[in-house]
Amino acid sequence: GAGVSQSPRYKVAKRGQDVALRCDPISGHVSLFWYQQALGQGPEFLTYFQNEAQLDKSGLPSDRFFAERPEGSVSTLKIQRTQQEDSAVYLCASSLRQASLSMNTEAFFGQGTRLTVV
Amino acid sequence: AQKITQTQPGMFVQEKEAVTLDCTYDTSDPSYGLFWYKQPSSGEMIFLIYQGSYDQQNATEGRYSLNFQKARKSANLVISASQLGDSAMYFCAMRPNQAGTALIFGKGTTLSVSS
């Protein structure tokens, strides 16, 4: 597609339920990022992939959060045993180049998945 | 600590006027990149403009310009000739060269443009 696509756009989960959020980056983009955006806040980094390798997962808030990008394209962010504090918009972004090679690596964002845990 | 500060929760401007959105940053890295993104109500983050720490001139992209004052560690966004479609949330972000690959975002400023 032309841009970064995320699905679902909206997800309501009962507390304790597992959820999986999908990101389709722009074709050919090497770098893929996941961010978490709480209401009224700026996005906060969760994890980074360079192709299929997860090079940085320092932002994942707990071991309930897991991300993968097995073929270096589509990525899935999984949250196990969801809690109310997990309610947020989850943004995916992709960049053409390897992030560490250039600071001017424009990231293209998807529209996000709004997760509400009830 | 790497940090972005946006002190204006909300800004109001009339159509065709210029507006400045403030951003200050904190980093000990000698090289870094500064970004501005627009987030309309649809949720997507739209890239507006980039400034590298070693760039000699302030960045400009159409109606957007970045007032970069390195000594003061500020990177204010100037939007000229505001349009109704500029109403959105605006985020300043930084990528420190040596501190990882992720963007560090501020809390954002809500811009409202009225006719």
Side-chain angles (χ1 to χ4, degrees), chain B residues 54-71:
Chain B
Y54 289 120
D55 291 346
Q56 294 297 313
Q57 293 189 325
N58 287 346
T60 60
E61 289 285 349
R63 295 186 299 110
Y64 304 108
S65 60
L66 202 151
N67 184 2
F68 181 46
Q69 298 187 40
K70 194 170 182 178

PDB file of all heavy atoms in Angstrom, chain B residues 54-71:
ATOM      1  N   TYR B  54      23.837  20.035  13.058  1.00  0.00           N
ATOM      2  CA  TYR B  54      24.961  20.699  12.417  1.00  0.00           C
ATOM      3  C   TYR B  54      24.550  21.513  11.197  1.00  0.00           C
ATOM      4  O   TYR B  54      25.403  22.089  10.524  1.00  0.00           O
ATOM      5  CB  TYR B  54      26.014  19.659  12.011  1.00  0.00           C
ATOM      6  CG  TYR B  54      26.743  19.075  13.199  1.00  0.00           C
ATOM      7  CD1 TYR B  54      26.692  17.707  13.451  1.00  0.00           C
ATOM      8  CD2 TYR B  54      27.456  19.868  14.077  1.00  0.00           C
ATOM      9  CE1 TYR B  54      27.357  17.160  14.539  1.00  0.00           C
ATOM     10  CE2 TYR B  54      28.115  19.342  15.168  1.00  0.00           C
ATOM     11  CZ  TYR B  54      28.065  17.983  15.392  1.00  0.00           C
ATOM     12  OH  TYR B  54      28.722  17.447  16.484  1.00  0.00           O
ATOM     13  N   ASP B  55      23.256  21.545  10.934  1.00  0.00           N
ATOM     14  CA  ASP B  55      22.797  22.342   9.784  1.00  0.00           C
ATOM     15  C   ASP B  55      23.005  23.823  10.083  1.00  0.00           C
ATOM     16  O   ASP B  55      22.644  24.302  11.162  1.00  0.00           O
ATOM     17  CB  ASP B  55      21.307  22.070   9.519  1.00  0.00           C
ATOM     18  CG  ASP B  55      21.059  20.672   9.005  1.00  0.00           C
ATOM     19  OD1 ASP B  55      22.041  20.004   8.598  1.00  0.00           O
ATOM     20  OD2 ASP B  55      19.890  20.237   9.008  1.00  0.00           O
ATOM     21  N   GLN B  56      23.568  24.507   9.120  1.00  0.00           N
ATOM     22  CA  GLN B  56      23.891  25.918   9.319  1.00  0.00           C
ATOM     23  C   GLN B  56      22.668  26.812   9.175  1.00  0.00           C
ATOM     24  O   GLN B  56      22.584  27.878   9.781  1.00  0.00           O
ATOM     25  CB  GLN B  56      24.964  26.350   8.314  1.00  0.00           C
ATOM     26  CG  GLN B  56      26.311  25.662   8.537  1.00  0.00           C
ATOM     27  CD  GLN B  56      26.915  26.019   9.887  1.00  0.00           C
ATOM     28  OE1 GLN B  56      26.965  27.171  10.269  1.00  0.00           O
ATOM     29  NE2 GLN B  56      27.342  24.996  10.618  1.00  0.00           N
ATOM     30  N   GLN B  57      21.744  26.376   8.326  1.00  0.00           N
ATOM     31  CA  GLN B  57      20.570  27.207   8.083  1.00  0.00           C
ATOM     32  C   GLN B  57      19.330  26.589   8.702  1.00  0.00           C
ATOM     33  O   GLN B  57      19.223  25.361   8.820  1.00  0.00           O
ATOM     34  CB  GLN B  57      20.357  27.366   6.574  1.00  0.00           C
ATOM     35  CG  GLN B  57      21.461  28.169   5.894  1.00  0.00           C
ATOM     36  CD  GLN B  57      21.108  28.503   4.456  1.00  0.00           C
ATOM     37  OE1 GLN B  57      20.469  27.707   3.777  1.00  0.00           O
ATOM     38  NE2 GLN B  57      21.522  29.674   3.994  1.00  0.00           N
ATOM     39  N   ASN B  58      18.387  27.442   9.057  1.00  0.00           N
ATOM     40  CA  ASN B  58      17.111  26.949   9.555  1.00  0.00           C
ATOM     41  C   ASN B  58      16.353  26.246   8.440  1.00  0.00           C
ATOM     42  O   ASN B  58      16.329  26.703   7.301  1.00  0.00           O
ATOM     43  CB  ASN B  58      16.272  28.114  10.095  1.00  0.00           C
ATOM     44  CG  ASN B  58      16.791  28.642  11.415  1.00  0.00           C
ATOM     45  OD1 ASN B  58      17.608  27.986  12.070  1.00  0.00           O
ATOM     46  ND2 ASN B  58      16.344  29.809  11.812  1.00  0.00           N
ATOM     47  N   ALA B  59      15.719  25.134   8.811  1.00  0.00           N
ATOM     48  CA  ALA B  59      14.968  24.371   7.822  1.00  0.00           C
ATOM     49  C   ALA B  59      13.666  25.089   7.455  1.00  0.00           C
ATOM     50  O   ALA B  59      13.050  25.751   8.297  1.00  0.00           O
ATOM     51  CB  ALA B  59      14.654  22.984   8.383  1.00  0.00           C
ATOM     52  N   THR B  60      13.286  24.943   6.198  1.00  0.00           N
ATOM     53  CA  THR B  60      11.994  25.460   5.748  1.00  0.00           C
ATOM     54  C   THR B  60      11.357  24.426   4.831  1.00  0.00           C
ATOM     55  O   THR B  60      12.040  23.746   4.062  1.00  0.00           O
ATOM     56  CB  THR B  60      12.126  26.794   4.984  1.00  0.00           C
ATOM     57  OG1 THR B  60      12.953  26.568   3.839  1.00  0.00           O
ATOM     58  CG2 THR B  60      12.739  27.869   5.847  1.00  0.00           C
ATOM     59  N   GLU B  61      10.019  24.311   4.942  1.00  0.00           N
ATOM     60  CA  GLU B  61       9.238  23.428   4.074  1.00  0.00           C
ATOM     61  C   GLU B  61       7.905  24.105   3.834  1.00  0.00           C
ATOM     62  O   GLU B  61       6.993  24.021   4.632  1.00  0.00           O
ATOM     63  CB  GLU B  61       9.002  22.057   4.743  1.00  0.00           C
ATOM     64  CG  GLU B  61      10.183  21.168   4.854  1.00  0.00           C
ATOM     65  CD  GLU B  61      10.586  20.511   3.541  1.00  0.00           C
ATOM     66  OE1 GLU B  61       9.804  20.599   2.563  1.00  0.00           O
ATOM     67  OE2 GLU B  61      11.677  19.918   3.483  1.00  0.00           O
ATOM     68  N   GLY B  62       7.808  24.816   2.727  1.00  0.00           N
ATOM     69  CA  GLY B  62       6.564  25.498   2.418  1.00  0.00           C
ATOM     70  C   GLY B  62       6.216  26.536   3.469  1.00  0.00           C
ATOM     71  O   GLY B  62       7.006  27.443   3.748  1.00  0.00           O
ATOM     72  N   ARG B  63       5.061  26.373   4.099  1.00  0.00           N
ATOM     73  CA  ARG B  63       4.629  27.335   5.126  1.00  0.00           C
ATOM     74  C   ARG B  63       5.258  27.072   6.486  1.00  0.00           C
ATOM     75  O   ARG B  63       5.020  27.817   7.443  1.00  0.00           O
ATOM     76  CB  ARG B  63       3.102  27.312   5.241  1.00  0.00           C
ATOM     77  CG  ARG B  63       2.359  27.787   4.012  1.00  0.00           C
ATOM     78  CD  ARG B  63       0.846  27.873   4.247  1.00  0.00           C
ATOM     79  NE  ARG B  63       0.258  26.594   4.578  1.00  0.00           N
ATOM     80  CZ  ARG B  63      -0.228  26.278   5.780  1.00  0.00           C
ATOM     81  NH1 ARG B  63      -0.192  27.148   6.779  1.00  0.00           N
ATOM     82  NH2 ARG B  63      -0.759  25.078   5.985  1.00  0.00           N
ATOM     83  N   TYR B  64       6.042  25.996   6.578  1.00  0.00           N
ATOM     84  CA  TYR B  64       6.655  25.636   7.853  1.00  0.00           C
ATOM     85  C   TYR B  64       8.126  26.050   7.857  1.00  0.00           C
ATOM     86  O   TYR B  64       8.844  25.825   6.887  1.00  0.00           O
ATOM     87  CB  TYR B  64       6.572  24.126   8.090  1.00  0.00           C
ATOM     88  CG  TYR B  64       5.175  23.559   8.040  1.00  0.00           C
ATOM     89  CD1 TYR B  64       4.766  22.773   6.960  1.00  0.00           C
ATOM     90  CD2 TYR B  64       4.263  23.808   9.055  1.00  0.00           C
ATOM     91  CE1 TYR B  64       3.490  22.250   6.909  1.00  0.00           C
ATOM     92  CE2 TYR B  64       2.981  23.295   9.005  1.00  0.00           C
ATOM     93  CZ  TYR B  64       2.599  22.519   7.934  1.00  0.00           C
ATOM     94  OH  TYR B  64       1.328  22.001   7.883  1.00  0.00           O
ATOM     95  N   SER B  65       8.547  26.629   8.952  1.00  0.00           N
ATOM     96  CA  SER B  65       9.968  26.901   9.140  1.00  0.00           C
ATOM     97  C   SER B  65      10.322  26.586  10.586  1.00  0.00           C
ATOM     98  O   SER B  65       9.470  26.615  11.476  1.00  0.00           O
ATOM     99  CB  SER B  65      10.325  28.344   8.795  1.00  0.00           C
ATOM    100  OG  SER B  65       9.598  29.234   9.624  1.00  0.00           O
ATOM    101  N   LEU B  66      11.569  26.240  10.778  1.00  0.00           N
ATOM    102  CA  LEU B  66      12.031  25.858  12.099  1.00  0.00           C
ATOM    103  C   LEU B  66      13.024  26.908  12.565  1.00  0.00           C
ATOM    104  O   LEU B  66      14.047  27.130  11.911  1.00  0.00           O
ATOM    105  CB  LEU B  66      12.673  24.458  12.043  1.00  0.00           C
ATOM    106  CG  LEU B  66      12.746  23.696  13.369  1.00  0.00           C
ATOM    107  CD1 LEU B  66      12.702  22.201  13.130  1.00  0.00           C
ATOM    108  CD2 LEU B  66      14.002  24.085  14.122  1.00  0.00           C
ATOM    109  N   ASN B  67      12.725  27.549  13.669  1.00  0.00           N
ATOM    110  CA  ASN B  67      13.614  28.557  14.251  1.00  0.00           C
ATOM    111  C   ASN B  67      14.546  27.848  15.230  1.00  0.00           C
ATOM    112  O   ASN B  67      14.203  27.623  16.388  1.00  0.00           O
ATOM    113  CB  ASN B  67      12.780  29.627  14.962  1.00  0.00           C
ATOM    114  CG  ASN B  67      13.645  30.748  15.508  1.00  0.00           C
ATOM    115  OD1 ASN B  67      14.865  30.750  15.324  1.00  0.00           O
ATOM    116  ND2 ASN B  67      13.041  31.696  16.175  1.00  0.00           N
ATOM    117  N   PHE B  68      15.724  27.474  14.732  1.00  0.00           N
ATOM    118  CA  PHE B  68      16.672  26.661  15.476  1.00  0.00           C
ATOM    119  C   PHE B  68      17.684  27.558  16.161  1.00  0.00           C
ATOM    120  O   PHE B  68      18.439  28.289  15.506  1.00  0.00           O
ATOM    121  CB  PHE B  68      17.376  25.693  14.529  1.00  0.00           C
ATOM    122  CG  PHE B  68      18.374  24.780  15.169  1.00  0.00           C
ATOM    123  CD1 PHE B  68      18.080  24.096  16.337  1.00  0.00           C
ATOM    124  CD2 PHE B  68      19.618  24.570  14.574  1.00  0.00           C
ATOM    125  CE1 PHE B  68      19.000  23.231  16.920  1.00  0.00           C
ATOM    126  CE2 PHE B  68      20.542  23.703  15.140  1.00  0.00           C
ATOM    127  CZ  PHE B  68      20.242  23.036  16.310  1.00  0.00           C
ATOM    128  N   GLN B  69      17.696  27.516  17.498  1.00  0.00           N
ATOM    129  CA  GLN B  69      18.670  28.275  18.271  1.00  0.00           C
ATOM    130  C   GLN B  69      19.435  27.275  19.136  1.00  0.00           C
ATOM    131  O   GLN B  69      18.987  26.917  20.242  1.00  0.00           O
ATOM    132  CB  GLN B  69      17.974  29.345  19.105  1.00  0.00           C
ATOM    133  CG  GLN B  69      17.239  30.366  18.242  1.00  0.00           C
ATOM    134  CD  GLN B  69      16.690  31.525  19.053  1.00  0.00           C
ATOM    135  OE1 GLN B  69      17.343  32.022  19.970  1.00  0.00           O
ATOM    136  NE2 GLN B  69      15.476  31.941  18.745  1.00  0.00           N
ATOM    137  N   LYS B  70      20.574  26.852  18.622  1.00  0.00           N
ATOM    138  CA  LYS B  70      21.309  25.745  19.233  1.00  0.00           C
ATOM    139  C   LYS B  70      21.780  26.067  20.635  1.00  0.00           C
ATOM    140  O   LYS B  70      21.716  25.225  21.536  1.00  0.00           O
ATOM    141  CB  LYS B  70      22.493  25.385  18.333  1.00  0.00           C
ATOM    142  CG  LYS B  70      23.144  24.062  18.659  1.00  0.00           C
ATOM    143  CD  LYS B  70      24.132  23.676  17.583  1.00  0.00           C
ATOM    144  CE  LYS B  70      24.757  22.336  17.869  1.00  0.00           C
ATOM    145  NZ  LYS B  70      25.693  21.930  16.784  1.00  0.00           N
ATOM    146  N   ALA B  71      22.267  27.279  20.848  1.00  0.00           N
ATOM    147  CA  ALA B  71      22.791  27.641  22.168  1.00  0.00           C
ATOM    148  C   ALA B  71      21.688  27.618  23.226  1.00  0.00           C
ATOM    149  O   ALA B  71      21.935  27.291  24.385  1.00  0.00           O
ATOM    150  CB  ALA B  71      23.435  29.008  22.108  1.00  0.00           C
TER     151      ALA B  71
END
